[in-house]
Amino acid sequence: MNTILEVKDLSVQFRTEEGSFHAIEHVSFSVQEQKTLAIVGESGSGKSVTSLAIMQLIAENGNITGGEIFIDGQDILKLSRKQVQHSILGKKISMIFQEPMTALNPVIRIGEQITESILEHQQVSKQEARKIALDTLKQVGIPSPEQRMKQYPHQLSGGMRQRVMIAMGLVTKPKIMIADEPTTALDVTIEAQILNLLEELKRTYKTSILFVTHDLNIVADIADDVLVMYCGEVIEKGPVVDIFEHPRHPYTKGLLATMPSLDQDEKVLPTIKGSVPNISKRPQGCHFHPRCEHATDQCRTTKPQTYQVGLQTVQCFLYAPKKESSNA
Amino acid sequence: MVKYISKRLLVSIPVIIGITILSFIIMKLSPGDPLANFINPSINMEDLEKSRQALGLNDPLHIQYVKWIGQVIRGNFGYTYSGNHSIGNLILERLPNTVILTLSAFILSFVVGIPLGVIGAVRKNTRIDYGITLMSLVGVAIPSFFFGLLVIYVFALLLGIFPSGGMENIRAGFTGFAYYMDILHHLVLPALVLSLGNIASVSRFTRSNMLDILKEDYIRTAKAKGLRNKAIIYRHALRNALIPVVTIFGLSIPFLFSGAYITESIFNWPGMGQLGIRAIQDREYGIIMALNLITATLVLAGNLVSDILYAIVDPRIRH
Ligand SMILES: Nc1ncnc2c1ncn2[C@@H]1O[C@H](COP(=O)(O)OP(=O)(O)OP(=O)(O)O)[C@@H](O)[C@H]1O
Ligand SMILES: [Mg+2]
């Protein structure tokens, strides 16, 4: 199976008035052909920064301080800005954002916003581009697409706009699409429709999806693999079934325990005690130790390595190979 | 749209009437006598009183106003106190010259101001941006009479490439194409002086709009689509940044017209501004009132044009 996206040791730093800090550190993962990888984590854990870094879209005050990003085998950090624009963005990788209300240009017709992507990346005539755009709008379930093409974003509902965003992302048949909380701004019934649509399109367009969310129910529905982030680091990753059945990291365990399930009668959902530390006051050693019931002195001083447990990778000393057993 | 425009036009009528009443009162309250110029030892005070009576200057204010507005509605602006010239004709003679000057300054403001603003925003915090910012600050801060004299000194006296004043070289007696080129030649300096402040404010306004727009989510979307910089800046950002700029289209019309008073005086440009300044000195109430009315109409028309343009360029309002 081919790897479409591979991120190795990616770190991103921001400069602010209070000083510089790393929003993400040594993030590594890969996405296989036609698979969905979900990134989960609490607010501020670095999910969006990770996706924006892959798209080379981090804010002006941030920069990538280390790591490699391979898209379809090409290390894009070694390419020039022009090359990335021309041969990567919108062509091999596309992105849909959380806010369909603001992500579309308010003064450009839907049709033009879609066809411009095609014309930028493919050698086709205007008529052909128009036809591709129409077909794609049909694919994403937009009724009377001819009419919609002539309309402006404010004439569409939120769900419709997100469908337009998806059409815009797929119209060039990219290898992978990043979706950063694409349904958070939508109500529940529309959310379900959009998720089904993404599932279906993934198959028709043969794309991989990098799906950012903090909703574990969505993860269970659509992901093949899961990446759990905490304080800018990947603390656990693995196939979705393994993670849900045997979460290893105490944080992942806590996260899954907070998940409401249908056969649960309890009124009060369990929560992980404590709260996410402020980005500038991240604790030494394992970032999670102040909230962890298994924390030892080692956790307070040294950062754990990543350890392989079955198909999962975990950043926690609980899974370090025991010295005694290796001696025996 | 038609309904909106006709509504706006209807609302303008009472506004214009109000403006004429106000300016009429202010002018009558200001000290000075239009006939003061005619007072000399040989004149008979009784004759003066007679002509005052004949001109209606002794009528109560509201009667004077009603008489005047009644004439204006019939397209008659009255006659000057001295020489009994038709005010309408005086203005008509000069209006085209002022229109040429202000229109050139208007075009210059936007044709130069918008690109400067875009460059400033795209090259934010570079030397080019700082240079443009500095020029804009100077442009806004410098009084036009001073800039006018400076420009005359440099381009007319030192370098001798442009004439120092007037609208045409009468002695040369140009005709046809040469005649228009001659006017254009005379137009360059006054149009530059008149538009300087406007160029500066248009470029500042465009720059700050552009910077705001470049932070918008849809610009990030455009980047994520892998569009080239040109398309991002011109197709996606500028289109949005220009929407508020059209509001100063209309607003700058009266600004330029009043600026023309000073510029026309400096460059001896035979326009309405020159006429107005002379009228104020001579207390030619008829001329001042006529010019007030024209300016007020322009302000209202400018505002209306801005709002209509706004609705045309912004699809969110259009629909
Ligand atoms: N331009 C920036 N300047 C400074 N700090 C930033 C910037 N962008 C992001 N950050 C910080 O980086 C951290 C990670 O942010 P990120 O947006 O990736 O979180 P997230 O996991 O996507 O959270 P959410 O679920 O709320 O979207 C946060 O602490 C955030 O404040
Ligand atoms: Mg986010």
Side-chain angles (χ1 to χ4, degrees):
Chain A
M1 182 154 304
N2 282 331
T3 301
I4 297 300
L5 168 68
E6 181 160 22
V7 174
K8 280 186 185 165
D9 259 340
L10 186 67
S11 300
V12 172
Q13 191 178 41
F14 284 110
R15 297 172 305 276
T16 61
E17 274 156 23
E18 292 103 59
S20 305
F21 63 86
H22 274 97
I24 58 169
E25 265 180 305
H26 304 293
V27 168
S28 300
F29 62 88
S30 57
V31 184
Q32 310 303 317
E33 197 171 10
Q34 294 184 53
K35 294 284 180 198
T36 301
L37 172 73
I39 304 185
V40 289
E42 284 165 285
S43 194
S45 54
K47 307 182 297 288
S48 295
V49 170
T50 306
S51 10
L52 290 174
I54 296 167
M55 297 297 289
Q56 314 265 292
L57 285 178
I58 328 178
E60 271 173 33
N61 63 330
N63 61 299
I64 295 175
T65 50
E68 292 163 307
I69 301 168
F70 293 91
I71 293 176
D72 207 16
Q74 218 170 359
D75 185 352
I76 65 162
L77 296 182
K78 294 218 170 73
L79 299 179
S80 72
R81 176 85 227 160
K82 270 230 167 73
Q83 285 170 312
V84 172
Q85 264 177 0
H86 181 250
S87 59
I88 305 291
L89 299 183
K91 191 170 186 182
K92 294 213 164 139
I93 185 165
S94 65
M95 180 158 181
I96 52 179
F97 300 93
Q98 180 172 346
E99 274 299 332
M101 292 309 186
T102 53
L104 289 166
N105 195 317
V107 303
I108 302 180
R109 290 171 205 277
I110 304 292
E112 190 184 341
Q113 295 196 49
I114 299 176
T115 46
E116 69 176 347
S117 273
I118 309 171
L119 293 170
E120 186 76 45
H121 297 294
Q122 293 172 7
Q123 259 66 48
V124 296
S125 70
K126 275 206 167 148
Q127 282 88 331
E128 286 169 290
R130 215 185 103 80
K131 183 157 181 323
I132 299 173
L134 271 175
D135 289 345
T136 318
L137 281 176
K138 253 177 241 156
Q139 287 271 331
V140 300
I142 289 193
S144 51
E146 284 93 355
Q147 241 169 306
R148 294 297 184 190
M149 296 265 285
K150 287 188 219 120
Q151 291 187 319
Y152 291 92
H154 71 274
Q155 293 168 291
L156 274 60
S157 68
M160 280 296 155
R161 288 192 214 187
Q162 201 57 297
R163 284 173 196 264
V164 169
M165 280 299 292
I166 295 171
M168 224 160 75
L170 286 174
V171 82
T172 49
K173 300 198 163 56
K175 301 264 180 182
I176 179 166
M177 179 152 84
I178 301 181
D180 187 353
E181 308 201 35
T183 56
T184 313
L186 307 173
D187 58 43
V188 191
T189 46
I190 311 279
E191 172 170 56
Q193 291 171 10
I194 297 281
L195 291 174
N196 285 338
L197 177 70
L198 280 175
E199 275 289 87
E200 183 193 313
L201 292 172
K202 188 178 108 179
R203 261 171 267 127
T204 29
Y205 283 86
K206 299 189 169 39
T207 34
S208 312
I209 296 180
L210 179 62
F211 197 99
V212 172
T213 180
H214 49 240
D215 187 338
L216 288 162
N217 289 304
I218 297 181
V219 176
D221 274 353
I222 67 159
D224 298 300
D225 298 286
V226 184
L227 184 82
V228 185
M229 289 191 75
Y230 186 79
C231 282
E233 291 177 341
V234 177
I235 52 129
E236 180 161 6
K237 66 186 168 197
V240 67
V241 185
D242 302 63
I243 299 259
F244 273 71
E245 276 176 12
H246 310 287
R248 304 291 179 180
H249 197 286
Y251 176 68
T252 318
K253 285 180 184 166
L255 210 56
L256 286 168
T258 64
M259 208 176 144
S261 66
L262 292 175
D263 44 54
Q264 212 168 3
D265 285 337
E266 291 161 82
K267 288 251 160 54
V268 190
L269 288 173
T271 51
I272 310 176
K273 71 175 163 65
S275 59
V276 186
N278 188 297
I279 197 133
S280 49
K281 294 190 208 105
R282 278 176 182 164
Q284 260 211 312
C286 171
H287 291 329
F288 187 61
H289 83 252
R291 299 169 77 184
C292 180
E293 54 193 24
H294 308 285
T296 63
D297 283 343
Q298 192 188 19
C299 303
R300 286 178 197 104
T301 51
T302 5
K303 179 159 294 190
Q305 289 176 292
T306 50
Y307 304 101
Q308 194 75 30
V309 186
L311 291 171
Q312 285 149 272
T313 320
V314 194
Q315 193 183 61
C316 177
F317 284 122
L318 290 176
Y319 303 94
K322 300 278 180 308
K323 288 240 168 61
E324 302 86 62
S325 54
S326 56
N327 286 347
Chain B
M1 196 68 179
V2 174
K3 205 175 145 201
Y4 172 74
I5 295 173
S6 32
K7 208 172 103 192
R8 284 287 304 268
L9 284 176
L10 275 180
V11 173
S12 313
I13 294 171
V15 175
I16 288 204
I17 293 177
I19 290 170
T20 58
I21 293 177
L22 256 181
S23 53
F24 197 81
I25 292 172
I26 290 173
M27 209 163 38
K28 291 289 172 176
L29 287 180
S30 61
D33 179 355
L35 300 186
N37 282 343
F38 303 111
I39 298 177
N40 61 49
S42 67
I43 203 158
N44 185 340
M45 276 328 230
E46 260 170 44
D47 287 349
L48 205 64
E49 190 52 36
K50 256 186 223 153
S51 42
R52 190 167 278 147
Q53 196 73 38
L55 288 168
L57 287 171
N58 286 344
D59 292 347
L61 262 189
H62 62 274
I63 304 280
Q64 289 190 33
Y65 175 75
V66 170
K67 273 188 188 163
W68 176 77
I69 197 96
Q71 277 184 331
V72 168
I73 289 170
R74 273 173 266 131
N76 178 3
F77 282 104
Y79 299 88
T80 58
Y81 299 129
S82 75
N84 213 23
H85 298 295
S86 153
I87 293 175
N89 284 348
L90 275 180
I91 289 176
L92 270 185
E93 260 168 39
R94 285 160 175 270
L95 188 64
N97 300 344
T98 296
V99 168
I100 290 172
L101 178 60
T102 42
L103 199 66
S104 317
F106 179 83
I107 294 170
L108 212 57
S109 311
F110 292 95
V111 167
V112 178
I114 290 173
L116 283 181
V118 172
I119 295 169
V122 173
R123 297 279 162 86
K124 191 179 80 165
N125 296 341
T126 63
R127 272 195 213 152
I128 300 176
D129 180 32
Y130 294 144
I132 295 173
T133 303
L134 188 70
M135 269 170 22
S136 305
L137 285 179
V138 172
V140 170
I142 200 168
S144 62
F145 65 85
F146 178 73
F147 183 59
L149 294 178
L150 191 74
V151 159
I152 290 176
Y153 179 69
V154 175
F155 291 99
L157 299 184
L158 280 187
L159 301 174
I161 35 182
F162 290 110
S164 64
M167 198 174 120
E168 55 188 306
N169 191 342
I170 297 167
R171 255 171 291 166
F174 290 121
T175 52
F177 182 70
Y179 172 72
Y180 293 110
M181 288 315 285
D182 184 43
I183 290 183
L184 195 64
H185 194 209
H186 282 78
L187 183 61
V188 174
L189 292 188
L192 179 69
V193 170
L194 181 54
S195 60
L196 181 76
N198 229 22
I199 291 178
S201 47
V202 168
S203 85
R204 296 307 294 162
F205 195 58
T206 308
R207 177 181 182 274
S208 74
N209 280 331
M210 225 17 214
L211 286 178
D212 285 346
I213 298 288
L214 286 172
K215 289 192 203 109
E216 292 283 344
D217 279 0
Y218 52 79
I219 297 299
R220 190 178 60 184
T221 307
K223 287 182 185 163
K225 278 153 78 173
L227 301 183
R228 57 199 71 204
N229 288 342
K230 245 203 206 142
I232 294 171
I233 291 166
Y234 294 104
R235 196 180 315 150
H236 283 268
L238 188 60
R239 266 201 215 178
N240 282 284
L242 284 186
I243 291 175
V245 173
V246 303
T247 55
I248 51 175
F249 262 43
L251 298 181
S252 63
I253 292 173
F255 175 76
L256 290 172
F257 256 87
S258 49
Y261 275 56
I262 296 170
T263 315
E264 286 179 1
S265 300
I266 301 170
F267 287 93
N268 201 21
W269 186 268
M272 290 199 316
Q274 224 188 19
L275 179 71
I277 288 194
R278 224 174 288 156
I280 291 169
Q281 284 161 357
D282 297 344
R283 302 219 157 63
E284 285 286 1
Y285 291 155
I287 297 181
I288 301 174
M289 283 301 297
L291 292 179
N292 266 350
L293 186 60
I294 291 172
T295 315
T297 314
L298 279 172
V299 174
L300 289 174
N303 275 326
L304 182 62
V305 168
S306 288
D307 288 354
I308 294 171
L309 279 179
Y310 202 99
I312 290 175
V313 291
D314 192 338
R316 284 161 296 186
I317 297 180
R318 199 187 325 151
H319 292 275

